[in-house]
Amino acid sequence: MKDGTIDFYPGFNFSLERQPYTFYVPNGLTTGLKVISLNKSPEVRRIEDMRGRSMLVPNGSPTYGAAEKGVIVVVVENLELSRAIEMLEQERADYYQYQSDTIRYYLKRNPNSKIKIHPCCSAEEPMYLGFSKLSPHYQRVDNPKYRSDLALTINNEPDKLLPESLPYKLEKALKYLDDSGFIDKLEKKYYE
């Protein structure tokens, strides 16, 4: 993405570090962080509910101050969901925090009656497709609604897509799929 050799990535969260080389397009999906555990574990609605217990976290994932709230944070390099579930089943940790859409998809394809999803730890937020600003397909104009006195955000970008550009057409197609209810049907099929 940084050098334009990859045109776009379908699920790319906004960050100030990525903003200089990424234009964000809503992809119609939502995501957030959820916690899973063995069924016997107490219900977790907020991070504090895990106080004194261990929570697996992939390296680089946010913890929302879990350690400061008394949670034993166990950071693991290259931690895949299947491995995290094995670690929970082996009682090497109490909880695992990861992206809700990935958890739902994995458990739909690999049902596991020993695992439950908790309503913690972040609200569902829109997911974005990241388009490389160095892609040969990226064409921009200045965004007349951009406010330089405000922070850079998804809704306050200095660029706007040219209507003739490929990313603009992709954005319109994704919006159509979302507005038509097609994405909701896909989510029900693959996540529920």
Side-chain angles (χ1 to χ4, degrees):
M1 293 282 293
K2 250 184 185 176
D3 64 9
T5 55
I6 296 174
D7 294 312
F8 69 91
Y9 192 82
F12 215 52
N13 292 334
F14 178 84
S15 75
L16 290 176
E17 295 81 30
R18 294 173 173 169
Q19 189 280 333
Y21 61 88
T22 305
F23 188 86
Y24 295 90
V25 173
N27 71 9
L29 299 171
T30 58
T31 191
L33 292 176
K34 293 295 179 210
V35 169
I36 61 171
S37 71
L38 295 177
N39 282 327
K40 67 182 182 179
S41 298
E43 180 85 356
V44 174
R45 294 194 171 278
R46 46 195 195 107
I47 292 172
E48 292 85 350
D49 294 341
M50 293 182 283
R51 185 184 328 271
R53 297 183 181 270
S54 59
M55 178 179 72
L56 295 169
V57 178
N59 189 28
S61 290
T63 62
Y64 299 103
E68 293 80 17
K69 295 173 183 172
V71 179
I72 302 161
V73 177
V74 181
V75 178
V76 181
E77 289 287 330
N78 302 316
L79 182 61
E80 294 180 11
L81 183 52
S82 58
R83 183 166 165 237
I85 289 173
E86 286 174 16
M87 291 176 76
L88 292 173
E89 290 175 334
Q90 295 165 357
E91 299 189 10
R92 293 174 56 198
D94 299 305
Y95 298 97
Y96 173 62
Q97 177 186 275
Y98 203 62
Q99 297 293 325
S100 61
D101 50 337
T102 304
I103 290 171
R104 291 176 18 225
Y105 178 76
Y106 181 87
L107 291 175
K108 167 85 180 206
R109 295 184 58 103
N110 304 281
N112 188 327
S113 61
K114 298 176 188 174
I115 299 295
K116 71 177 172 181
I117 302 174
H118 298 268
C120 180
C121 283
S122 73
E124 294 288 309
E125 296 178 354
M127 188 185 273
Y128 296 91
L129 175 145
F131 208 95
S132 173
K133 290 181 179 179
L134 293 176
S135 164
H137 303 289
Y138 178 73
Q139 296 172 296
R140 62 158 300 277
V141 293
D142 290 338
N143 181 359
K145 295 181 181 178
Y146 172 64
R147 300 245 336 247
S148 61
D149 59 320
L150 299 176
L152 283 173
T153 66
I154 290 284
N155 299 313
N156 189 40
E157 288 256 11
D159 300 340
K160 184 174 134 176
L161 295 172
L162 262 174
E164 304 82 44
S165 70
L166 183 62
Y168 181 87
K169 292 173 185 173
L170 182 57
E171 179 179 35
K172 290 299 169 204
L174 288 168
K175 183 163 178 24
Y176 171 78
L177 292 174
D178 190 22
D179 291 346
S180 71
F182 183 75
I183 291 177
D184 286 337
K185 288 177 188 171
L186 286 177
E187 282 187 317
K188 283 181 177 57
K189 179 178 179 179
Y190 292 105
Y191 293 167
E192 295 174 11

